[in-house]
Amino acid sequence: MTLLSHGGAPPGGKEEPVLSPPGNDANAKRERRQIFWTRLDLKVSPYLFISPFFILFAIFGLFPLVYTVWVSLHDWTLLGGNQGFVGLDNYVRLVQDGKFWNSLYNTFGIFVIAVVPQLLLAMYLADTLSRKVRAVNFFRMGLLLPYLTSVAAVAIVFSQLFGTQFGLINYALGFFGIDPINWQGGTFSSWVAIAVMVDWRWTGYNALIYLAAMSAIPRDIYEAASIDGASRTRQFWQITVPMLRPTIIFTVIVSTIGQMQLFTEPVIFGGVAGGTQGQFQTTMMLIFEEAFRFNNYGYGSAIAWTLFMLVVVLSALNALLSSRIKGA
Amino acid sequence: MRTFERRHWKMAAATLGVVTLLSTAACSGGGDDAAEDGKITLTVDTFGVFGYDELFEQYMEENPNIVIEENNVTDLNADYVPQLQQNIAAGSGAGDIVAIEEGIVQQFFLSQGDNFVDLAEYGAADLEENFLPWKWEMGKGPNGEIFGLGTDIGGMSMCYNKTLFEDAGLPTDREEVSASWETWDDFIEVGKKFQKADTGASFISTVTPYFNAINAQSGSHTFFDTDNNLVAETNPVIKDSWALVEKMVDEGLSANLPMWSDEWNAGIQNNVFATLPCPAWMLGHIENTAGESGRDQWDVASVPGEGGNWGGSWLAVTTQSEHPEEAAKLAMFLTSPEGQISAWNAANTLPSSPQALEDPAVTEFTREYFNEAPVGEIYATTAKELKPVYYGIHNAQVSEEFRKALEAMEQGQVSPEEAWNQAIEGAKRASGQ
């Protein structure tokens, strides 16, 4: 016990003043100063140590966020700067803007056909690799490799694979008698192409997260289940999946946030306009087009802020659902 | 206890130090132009093919304190212009020297002139006779400042794939080919014959370059009038060129390869289309793209309709440059008649200097890669009669909208009427009018 209480005391212990001989004024002063600094150290140092992140976040995260609101309430051009306060005009325009709704439709569409198969596949891969497999470390490393390549490189290579007349994929489909698909031309086909790029890069990443979570599930549960005669599949659905719930929810939230801001892959696939009629123009691309190509900073900011609010709402919804599920 | 106390301070100081370091490091990215060894680095932003490699080497040899770096991208409207616009607006990131193309010359020199150095300060005013009069005038700012020095002009011809013409049983001699398409309607007739021969190739790659070429031949203005009002909907120039390319689509002449895309370049390599409007600078693109597989495949004939100018650029020095004087000197060197001849020899960018246009190095030049075509004669003879087109300050953005609409029509995604409406709506939005 004594040991414990000593260990628990802060370094340079508070008992010291009691030990100092009374009456020695200079000594007492010095000790008081020490106490002051020690206390200050204990209270302030932790904040000081974590402050770099928050200072940087305030400058490069929070300030732009708030400033964007300010810009979005103005007629603001890239070149001319502030052209006057317009109130909510930019938001009124946004609600009536077909291109904005089209971009949201595209963003959600790509989200659905990218994230759902991605997480299912990640789960399947993680489950496979959590069993006894030969060269398991090799495969686990392999999962992470696509994540290490740059998004731009991935998008450039895949854009060529998805070429209409000279792409490898259409060439391969030709062997099965399928006519060349104009990947960039159609709405759904372009979504598929982009979803493939996204999934190629992120499936392994999510699989690793699942794998880590799976290894934390106590083995004895599985052992008990197999003694009771539960099959592998049954064990997966009734033990693995329920135990992974928090992890699944985490990956869903992170993927949602990421996918709502999808930009690089579709831009490299077919430019900021997202195809001849905006077949795959995501909301981020529309923001970029308005702000940097059409010079319309104010309107671009209004779209950006709306997208941000949407991400917040979706994340909140996710969090709500997850607490419900946990409670159940 | 003393040491302990001091350690506190050290920790606190170190933490603060890290914080300041991080924030300053984050703020001061880039901007380390002045290298330690006293050399000055000049960055030159270009697009497409300028043919400057040898000139840069020569200049660096003659001026050992200068290091030149070229930032080059392929696609002008989709990549180069937005990037340049951002860099100019942000006040950093643009090169010391930037190439300004014909289609964006008003966007930058007229409406954003205060971002460019008046080259008259560095003695450019004496250079007027080195340039064709219209080229000189278009490089000026609203108050007569000299912002841009002319590099090349476009001129116009029609490149055709000789082997494919032979396969289709069409005449292959460049005189005969030129004679077979006096007008654009004739051109479409030749195209119909070509398609009928069923060579597996298409007559044109995509309608965009034809639309641009026909607009350029107007010699007046296109999407905008000279007061920068959007007139695309009513301008007969646009209506006529639209009608012509619509006919090309109707007749099934197009290979539907979006211009400047990887697919389009692959199309050049694989000889899947037979013609391409060729301003002088396009020859360099064909040769660089097709490489050895395209040698002696292509030849150069005259363009249907009148001559015209499509493209060509100016070099300008940005006020962002930390070394405007050195940059101005380099720009004057590159655009001098000798510099233009060197660029012509490297990439056949047609000089904008009358002296260079009369130089035998230009007039007697035949391009071996293009079946020894006398390209110097073909371009230089019409160069002095060219009438420039006024494009207006939002031309790059509106061109993109038209390109998208034309491609949507060409690929059968929309009817011609829908495509026209899409183009007009897009143009209004892109120009804010």
Side-chain angles (χ1 to χ4, degrees):
Chain A
M1 276 319 282
T2 36
L3 257 177
L4 247 178
S5 72
H6 267 286
K14 283 176 189 171
E15 313 104 273
E16 270 185 53
V18 187
L19 296 175
S20 70
N24 189 338
D25 242 21
N27 242 4
K29 227 181 199 172
R30 206 176 64 204
E31 304 244 322
R32 268 204 300 276
R33 216 163 44 217
Q34 275 172 7
I35 295 164
F36 171 74
W37 284 115
T38 311
R39 283 198 181 141
L40 194 71
D41 175 39
L42 285 171
K43 289 226 165 89
V44 177
S45 291
Y47 295 105
L48 215 57
F49 288 132
I50 57 166
S51 65
F53 167 76
F54 288 98
I55 291 173
L56 288 181
F57 175 74
I59 298 172
F60 297 104
L62 198 62
F63 169 71
L65 205 67
V66 177
Y67 195 61
T68 305
V69 180
W70 179 245
V71 173
S72 75
L73 299 175
H74 292 76
D75 177 11
W76 199 299
T77 70
L78 184 62
L79 305 169
N82 193 346
Q83 310 284 313
F85 187 78
V86 295
L88 292 175
D89 279 9
N90 281 327
Y91 291 92
V92 173
R93 179 183 165 194
L94 178 137
V95 175
Q96 300 161 344
D97 185 0
K99 264 182 107 170
F100 170 70
W101 293 110
N102 174 56
S103 77
L104 269 190
Y105 172 66
N106 291 339
T107 309
F108 279 103
I110 298 171
F111 167 75
V112 171
I113 62 172
V115 170
V116 175
Q118 175 188 337
L119 295 184
L120 289 177
L121 187 64
M123 183 79 80
Y124 174 74
L125 286 173
D127 185 52
T128 311
L129 288 179
S130 69
R131 298 180 207 185
K132 287 203 173 87
V133 187
R134 264 175 215 277
V136 70
N137 279 329
F138 172 78
F139 287 114
R140 286 181 183 179
M141 283 305 295
L143 278 184
L144 203 58
L145 276 182
Y147 181 66
L148 298 180
T149 39
S150 94
V151 197
V154 172
I156 289 170
V157 171
F158 273 89
S159 299
Q160 302 206 350
L161 293 181
F162 281 108
T164 307
Q165 294 183 32
F166 303 100
L168 200 62
I169 291 172
N170 276 350
Y171 179 73
L173 289 178
F175 287 118
F176 302 101
I178 298 170
D179 284 336
I181 296 167
N182 185 354
W183 292 101
Q184 289 193 8
T187 304
F188 187 69
S189 59
S190 62
W191 290 1
V192 169
I194 292 162
V196 168
M197 296 181 209
V198 173
D199 287 356
W200 190 80
R201 190 151 184 278
W202 290 98
T203 306
Y205 173 83
N206 285 314
L208 273 196
I209 292 178
Y210 288 147
L211 193 60
M214 280 177 192
S215 61
I217 301 174
R219 289 288 114 188
D220 45 1
I221 304 181
Y222 288 106
E223 279 161 24
S226 40
I227 290 170
D228 285 346
S231 68
R232 245 339 287 208
T233 328
R234 183 128 189 229
Q235 286 177 27
F236 176 76
W237 287 111
Q238 303 218 309
I239 300 173
T240 312
V241 172
M243 297 290 268
L244 281 186
R245 236 176 230 160
T247 316
I248 296 174
I249 286 155
F250 167 77
T251 53
V252 169
I253 293 180
V254 169
S255 309
T256 311
I257 295 174
Q259 283 295 295
M260 287 297 113
Q261 304 174 46
L262 185 65
F263 180 73
T264 313
E265 288 94 345
V267 166
I268 293 177
F269 184 52
V272 169
T276 52
Q277 299 171 286
Q279 291 95 325
F280 51 96
Q281 185 177 50
T282 64
T283 310
M284 275 305 290
M285 292 158 82
L286 181 65
I287 294 171
F288 188 89
E289 187 180 44
E290 281 293 338
F292 295 107
R293 187 159 293 166
F294 299 163
N295 233 332
N296 215 334
Y297 237 54
Y299 187 51
S301 299
I303 308 173
W305 185 251
T306 311
L307 180 64
F308 171 71
M309 290 311 291
L310 209 70
V311 173
V312 170
V313 168
L314 281 176
S315 305
L317 208 70
N318 268 330
L320 196 77
L321 278 177
S322 64
S323 66
R324 277 279 170 79
I325 293 169
K326 253 187 228 156
Chain B
M1 287 324 282
R2 275 234 166 264
T3 47
F4 183 72
E5 199 182 309
R6 216 170 288 146
R7 211 166 350 129
H8 274 312
W9 277 110
K10 272 188 193 160
M11 290 248 206
T15 319
L16 265 179
V18 169
V19 173
T20 13
L21 199 78
L22 277 175
S23 29
T24 46
C27 293
S28 68
D32 48 351
D33 268 8
E36 287 106 28
D37 52 2
K39 285 196 175 184
I40 293 172
T41 306
L42 295 177
T43 314
V44 185
D45 290 354
T46 60
F47 57 88
V49 180
F50 270 72
Y52 280 167
D53 291 350
E54 268 177 43
L55 284 167
F56 286 157
E57 261 168 45
Q58 184 193 340
Y59 195 78
M60 285 192 275
E61 234 163 68
E62 290 169 7
N63 302 276
N65 65 325
I66 304 277
V67 178
I68 303 172
E69 281 173 9
E70 185 178 13
N71 275 339
N72 182 273
V73 295
T74 306
D75 194 333
L76 175 76
N77 280 345
D79 297 328
Y80 183 80
V81 178
Q83 204 177 334
L84 180 64
Q85 183 58 80
Q86 274 174 61
N87 291 340
I88 293 285
S92 73
D96 298 279
I97 297 179
V98 296
I100 301 289
E101 199 255 357
E102 181 193 32
I104 52 171
V105 69
Q106 285 97 18
Q107 176 182 345
F108 285 100
F109 291 168
L110 289 188
S111 68
Q112 303 174 57
D114 48 0
N115 293 295
F116 297 97
V117 173
D118 183 359
L119 296 169
E121 287 170 32
Y122 302 103
D126 305 334
L127 303 174
E128 182 167 356
E129 62 191 29
N130 283 354
F131 299 93
L132 294 170
W134 62 268
K135 191 78 182 177
W136 177 255
E137 286 305 316
M138 279 174 82
K140 283 187 177 173
N143 307 313
E145 306 96 331
I146 302 166
F147 287 143
L149 294 174
T151 58
D152 60 323
I153 55 178
M156 194 92 74
S157 72
M158 184 67 74
C159 291
Y160 65 101
N161 191 309
K162 208 169 179 174
T163 320
L164 288 179
F165 268 51
E166 204 174 323
D167 291 350
L170 292 171
T172 55
D173 178 69
R174 63 180 75 92
E175 304 284 325
E176 281 177 64
V177 172
S178 302
S180 73
W181 55 48
E182 300 258 300
T183 67
W184 283 104
D185 285 320
D186 295 342
F187 179 80
I188 293 172
E189 289 307 313
V190 176
K192 278 154 82 176
K193 272 185 223 158
F194 181 89
Q195 295 299 129
K196 216 172 270 172
D198 204 15
T199 57
S202 296
F203 194 56
I204 68 175
S205 57
T206 170
V207 293
T208 315
Y210 299 85
F211 185 68
N212 292 346
I214 300 167
N215 283 338
Q217 287 178 325
S218 71
S220 58
H221 58 88
T222 57
F223 304 123
F224 295 89
D225 64 16
T226 47
D227 296 321
N228 290 316
N229 298 311
L230 182 68
V231 293
E233 201 168 358
T234 51
N235 188 355
V237 171
I238 301 293
K239 283 194 162 168
D240 290 351
S241 51
W242 182 284
L244 276 168
V245 297
E246 188 185 324
K247 202 171 168 197
M248 294 180 192
V249 172
D250 281 349
E251 301 293 349
L253 306 186
S254 173
N256 301 347
L257 298 165
M259 197 175 179
W260 304 119
S261 66
D262 292 336
E263 289 268 294
W264 190 71
N265 285 333
I268 295 177
Q269 285 165 2
N270 290 293
N271 298 306
V272 300
F273 57 85
T275 62
L276 183 62
C278 272
W281 45 264
M282 189 69 88
L283 300 176
H285 184 78
I286 293 179
E287 185 169 338
N288 283 0
T289 307
E292 277 311 301
S293 71
R295 182 173 295 278
D296 294 333
Q297 286 279 350
W298 291 87
D299 207 324
V300 187
S302 66
V303 69
E306 289 173 38
N309 182 61
W310 174 15
S313 301
W314 288 259
L315 293 184
V317 175
T318 56
T319 48
Q320 296 174 17
S321 170
E322 287 173 20
H323 312 285
E325 188 177 353
E326 286 80 4
K329 274 188 191 149
L330 174 60
M332 288 190 263
F333 167 78
L334 294 171
T335 55
S336 66
E338 299 76 32
Q340 293 194 20
I341 291 171
S342 165
W344 161 265
N345 286 333
N348 285 164
T349 51
L350 187 61
S352 61
S353 142
Q355 296 93 321
L357 282 170
E358 278 163 15
D359 194 283
V362 175
T363 54
E364 288 167 18
F365 186 91
T366 59
R367 188 136 172 169
E368 190 238 326
Y369 187 89
F370 289 83
N371 281 302
E372 301 277 352
V375 290
E377 191 194 324
I378 293 173
Y379 290 110
T381 44
T382 55
K384 287 184 202 161
E385 295 139 29
L386 294 178
K387 281 176 285 175
V389 173
Y390 183 86
Y391 284 103
I393 55 177
H394 294 297
N395 176 65
Q397 292 85 345
V398 172
S399 285
E400 272 296 289
E401 294 301 319
F402 268 81
R403 157 158 103 166
K404 283 187 324 194
L406 286 169
E407 283 173 5
M409 169 172 85
E410 175 175 75
Q411 294 171 20
Q413 293 158 3
V414 291
S415 71
E417 293 77 35
E418 286 167 332
W420 174 258
N421 292 337
Q422 181 190 330
I424 295 299
E425 288 306 309
K428 285 178 183 164
R429 184 179 181 125
S431 63
Q433 289 185 24

CSV table of all heavy atoms in Angstrom, one decimal, chain A residues 282-298:
chain,number,residue,atom,x,y,z
A,282,THR,N,-19.4,14.6,-59.2
A,282,THR,CA,-19.8,14.6,-57.8
A,282,THR,C,-19.9,16.0,-57.3
A,282,THR,O,-19.5,17.0,-57.9
A,282,THR,CB,-18.7,13.8,-57.0
A,282,THR,OG1,-17.5,14.5,-57.0
A,282,THR,CG2,-18.5,12.4,-57.5
A,283,THR,N,-20.4,16.1,-56.1
A,283,THR,CA,-20.6,17.5,-55.5
A,283,THR,C,-19.3,18.2,-55.3
A,283,THR,O,-19.2,19.4,-55.6
A,283,THR,CB,-21.3,17.4,-54.1
A,283,THR,OG1,-22.5,16.5,-54.3
A,283,THR,CG2,-21.8,18.7,-53.7
A,284,MET,N,-18.2,17.5,-54.9
A,284,MET,CA,-16.9,18.1,-54.8
A,284,MET,C,-16.4,18.7,-56.1
A,284,MET,O,-15.8,19.7,-56.2
A,284,MET,CB,-15.9,17.1,-54.3
A,284,MET,CG,-15.8,16.9,-52.8
A,284,MET,SD,-15.6,18.5,-51.9
A,284,MET,CE,-13.9,18.8,-52.4
A,285,MET,N,-16.7,17.9,-57.2
A,285,MET,CA,-16.3,18.4,-58.5
A,285,MET,C,-17.1,19.7,-58.9
A,285,MET,O,-16.5,20.6,-59.5
A,285,MET,CB,-16.5,17.3,-59.6
A,285,MET,CG,-15.6,16.1,-59.4
A,285,MET,SD,-16.2,14.6,-60.1
A,285,MET,CE,-15.7,14.9,-61.8
A,286,LEU,N,-18.4,19.7,-58.5
A,286,LEU,CA,-19.2,20.9,-58.9
A,286,LEU,C,-18.6,22.1,-58.1
A,286,LEU,O,-18.5,23.2,-58.7
A,286,LEU,CB,-20.6,20.6,-58.5
A,286,LEU,CG,-21.6,21.8,-58.8
A,286,LEU,CD1,-21.7,22.0,-60.3
A,286,LEU,CD2,-23.0,21.5,-58.3
A,287,ILE,N,-18.2,21.9,-56.8
A,287,ILE,CA,-17.7,23.0,-56.1
A,287,ILE,C,-16.4,23.5,-56.8
A,287,ILE,O,-16.3,24.7,-57.0
A,287,ILE,CB,-17.2,22.5,-54.7
A,287,ILE,CG1,-18.5,22.1,-53.8
A,287,ILE,CG2,-16.4,23.5,-53.9
A,287,ILE,CD1,-18.1,21.4,-52.5
A,288,PHE,N,-15.6,22.6,-57.2
A,288,PHE,CA,-14.3,23.0,-57.9
A,288,PHE,C,-14.6,23.7,-59.2
A,288,PHE,O,-14.0,24.8,-59.5
A,288,PHE,CB,-13.5,21.7,-58.1
A,288,PHE,CG,-12.1,22.0,-58.7
A,288,PHE,CD1,-11.1,22.2,-57.8
A,288,PHE,CD2,-11.9,22.1,-60.0
A,288,PHE,CE1,-9.8,22.5,-58.3
A,288,PHE,CE2,-10.6,22.4,-60.5
A,288,PHE,CZ,-9.6,22.6,-59.6
A,289,GLU,N,-15.6,23.2,-59.9
A,289,GLU,CA,-15.9,23.8,-61.2
A,289,GLU,C,-16.4,25.2,-61.0
A,289,GLU,O,-16.0,26.2,-61.7
A,289,GLU,CB,-16.9,23.0,-62.0
A,289,GLU,CG,-17.2,23.4,-63.4
A,289,GLU,CD,-18.2,22.6,-64.1
A,289,GLU,OE1,-19.2,22.2,-63.5
A,289,GLU,OE2,-18.0,22.3,-65.3
A,290,GLU,N,-17.4,25.4,-60.1
A,290,GLU,CA,-17.9,26.7,-59.9
A,290,GLU,C,-16.9,27.7,-59.4
A,290,GLU,O,-16.8,28.8,-59.9
A,290,GLU,CB,-19.1,26.6,-58.9
A,290,GLU,CG,-20.4,26.1,-59.5
A,290,GLU,CD,-21.0,27.1,-60.5
A,290,GLU,OE1,-20.6,28.3,-60.4
A,290,GLU,OE2,-21.7,26.7,-61.4
A,291,ALA,N,-16.1,27.3,-58.4
A,291,ALA,CA,-15.2,28.2,-57.7
A,291,ALA,C,-14.0,28.5,-58.6
A,291,ALA,O,-13.6,29.7,-58.8
A,291,ALA,CB,-14.7,27.6,-56.4
A,292,PHE,N,-13.4,27.5,-59.2
A,292,PHE,CA,-12.1,27.7,-59.9
A,292,PHE,C,-12.2,27.8,-61.4
A,292,PHE,O,-11.3,28.4,-62.0
A,292,PHE,CB,-11.1,26.6,-59.5
A,292,PHE,CG,-10.8,26.6,-58.1
A,292,PHE,CD1,-11.2,25.6,-57.2
A,292,PHE,CD2,-10.0,27.6,-57.6
A,292,PHE,CE1,-10.9,25.7,-55.9
A,292,PHE,CE2,-9.6,27.6,-56.2
A,292,PHE,CZ,-10.1,26.7,-55.4
A,293,ARG,N,-13.3,27.3,-62.0
A,293,ARG,CA,-13.4,27.4,-63.4
A,293,ARG,C,-14.3,28.6,-63.8
A,293,ARG,O,-14.0,29.4,-64.7
A,293,ARG,CB,-13.8,26.1,-64.0
A,293,ARG,CG,-13.8,26.2,-65.5
A,293,ARG,CD,-13.7,24.9,-66.2
A,293,ARG,NE,-12.5,24.2,-66.0
A,293,ARG,CZ,-12.4,22.9,-66.3
A,293,ARG,NH1,-13.4,22.2,-66.8
A,293,ARG,NH2,-11.3,22.3,-66.1
A,294,PHE,N,-15.5,28.6,-63.1
A,294,PHE,CA,-16.4,29.7,-63.4
A,294,PHE,C,-16.2,30.9,-62.5
A,294,PHE,O,-17.0,31.8,-62.6
A,294,PHE,CB,-17.9,29.2,-63.3
A,294,PHE,CG,-18.2,28.0,-64.2
A,294,PHE,CD1,-19.3,27.2,-64.0
A,294,PHE,CD2,-17.4,27.8,-65.3
A,294,PHE,CE1,-19.6,26.2,-64.8
A,294,PHE,CE2,-17.7,26.7,-66.1
A,294,PHE,CZ,-18.8,25.9,-65.9
A,295,ASN,N,-15.2,30.9,-61.7
A,295,ASN,CA,-14.8,32.1,-61.0
A,295,ASN,C,-15.8,32.5,-59.9
A,295,ASN,O,-15.8,33.6,-59.4
A,295,ASN,CB,-14.9,33.3,-62.0
A,295,ASN,CG,-13.7,34.0,-62.0
A,295,ASN,OD1,-13.0,34.1,-61.0
A,295,ASN,ND2,-13.3,34.6,-63.1
A,296,ASN,N,-16.7,31.5,-59.5
A,296,ASN,CA,-17.8,31.9,-58.6
A,296,ASN,C,-17.6,31.3,-57.2
A,296,ASN,O,-18.1,30.4,-56.8
A,296,ASN,CB,-19.0,31.2,-59.2
A,296,ASN,CG,-20.2,32.0,-59.0
A,296,ASN,OD1,-20.3,32.8,-58.1
A,296,ASN,ND2,-21.2,31.8,-59.9
A,297,TYR,N,-16.7,32.1,-56.5
A,297,TYR,CA,-16.3,31.6,-55.2
A,297,TYR,C,-17.5,31.5,-54.2
A,297,TYR,O,-17.6,30.6,-53.4
A,297,TYR,CB,-15.2,32.6,-54.6
A,297,TYR,CG,-14.0,31.9,-54.3
A,297,TYR,CD1,-13.3,31.1,-55.3
A,297,TYR,CD2,-13.4,32.0,-53.0
A,297,TYR,CE1,-12.1,30.5,-55.0
A,297,TYR,CE2,-12.2,31.4,-52.7
A,297,TYR,CZ,-11.6,30.6,-53.7
A,297,TYR,OH,-10.4,30.0,-53.4
A,298,GLY,N,-18.3,32.5,-54.2
A,298,GLY,CA,-19.4,32.6,-53.3
A,298,GLY,C,-20.3,31.4,-53.4
A,298,GLY,O,-20.6,30.7,-52.4
